[in-house]
Amino acid sequence: MNTWITELTPLSFLRRSATVYADKVAVVHGEMSWTYEELAEKVERRARMLRASGVRPGDRVAYLMPNVPEMLAAHFAVPLAGAVLVAINTRLAPDEVRYILDHSGATVLVVDSEYADIVSPIVDSLESVRTIAVTVDPVGPSQGAVVPGAIAFDTFLAGADRDEEELVWAVADERSPISINYTSGTTGRPKGVVYTHRGAYLNSFGEIFHSAHNANSVYLWTLPMFHCNGWCTIWALVAAGGTQVCLREVRGDKVWELIDRHRVTHLNGAPTVVTTILNAPEAHTLDESLVVTVAGAPPSPTTLSEAETMGFTIVHVYGLTETYGPYTACVWQDGWRNLCAEERARMQSRQGVAMIQADPVRVVEAELIDGQLVDVPADGTTMGEIVMRGNNVMREYYRDSEATDAALAGGWFHSGDLGVMHPDGYIELLDRAKDVIVSGGENISTVEVEHAVASHPDVLEVAVIGVPDAKWGERPKAFVVARHGRNLDAADVLKHVRSRIARYKTPREVEVVPELPKTSTGKVQKFELRENEWADETSRIRG
């Protein structure tokens, strides 16, 4: 290897910014703040803490905490110690957390005191964790809960004084793991997605470019840091020299308070997060544009249009845990300015093209032809599976070679998402393969139906699934949440939808519900809706 070539790693971002932006505010949380110089010092101390506790290169270190400075610092401290970060979803049940800790082989767990009740029941059954440290966030809720056998984080941190070895802000192999992110596991046990230093480094630049970050960026943490390492935004903001505003819990009132207080310029989240912000009582038109990068589900043209009116600049991206978060972006075209608001929003709701750091995205036929993947016609109507490859596709599923081989068959990552390729080279997501409704032999995209329902002025949120139908096999059903103060009439919604899409695609029924089941990242959990609707059918078949 050429000795003058440096291995890529996000660690280099903080090493640089600690010098270039030494006195600039890097992190804000409540009334406290850290400069870049202070952030680097705290990261070094935590890296020494981990090494003094016995963490060795390649060891896995788990964190269970919300969007607080300790979680942010861990994204640099853990790899600086030579270890691999395992950021755990804070909404998981104790047994799910236990599985991730055991499967990853984590030797250290750092947990926010708010989640002590998740860890306490599993302490005695953990296979590899030898040290548990509990942090108490001064901005968080007062917690008196104690994890058996755990130590206070301050005590754990004091161990840093025992480490005198030199810290190196570099890696010997850029393809070595920097983190393992576990999938949601809705169809079985979660899989550990391995990110590399190289992939995280490159994806960070994609975030900087497509979300227009710079040293003046003030980013509000509405996206969980544990989700795809916050789409690599933690590393990206440090590279850009921006300021990161931490937020323990996403509430409309708190989000608007921080937007106004800190003059926030950027935030990320799922469309449901955007809906929460736009419909909060505190919502108001912005004096300056706020860039909102949206992913997790295709935002409806209605949501995009409302956000634009409020003063939000929407950057629509698409990706999966296996692609470090965002992989494509709906890159703006100047010609769209001349379109009517509804048509412009429809163009922006597409998933777009590969980001600058990624290989071109493809939409391919379901079956291999002569052992090769074959692209569907770029006609905007022929449906196929979205596949990706390159630097921003995971290295592997941790300790699961069989699943890795299946996901990367043919040298491309198979997303399981169905979409079309438009003549202009932009892809459009139509559905997850498991969500497509087959009614009387016709495929119905739930996304298309959801967009039609969401365009009704009284609808705040919607989820569409297939439900049993004696004649057609299955038919669409819509679950809707009414806008605050609106009296939502199901019959009126159906009449509205029939005016926008083909009749066979129209939901058989509309059910008004107080809320939709969601993941911690704001994605609607359709499997819960399906389980309830198909329970009687399943019982009938088994009976």
Side-chain angles (χ1 to χ4, degrees), residues 62-113:
Y63 272 66
L64 178 66
M65 56 181 55
N67 291 352
V68 293
E70 283 298 342
M71 187 63 156
L72 191 154
H75 280 73
F76 290 93
V78 173
L80 184 59
V84 181
L85 176 64
V86 180
I88 301 177
N89 186 332
T90 58
R91 293 190 180 181
L92 297 179
D95 186 60
E96 294 170 312
V97 172
R98 180 198 56 76
Y99 174 81
I100 290 174
L101 291 171
D102 290 347
H103 185 269
S104 66
T107 57
V108 173
L109 169 63
V110 182
V111 57
D112 184 280
S113 60

Side-chain angles (χ1 to χ4, degrees), residues 442-474:
E442 296 283 352
N443 288 344
I444 300 174
S445 163
T446 61
V447 173
E448 181 184 7
V449 181
E450 286 166 353
H451 285 182
V453 175
S455 66
H456 189 285
D458 294 337
V459 172
L460 176 63
E461 294 182 300
V462 56
V464 172
I465 64 168
V467 297
D469 185 271
K471 181 178 181 180
W472 303 107
E474 59 179 337

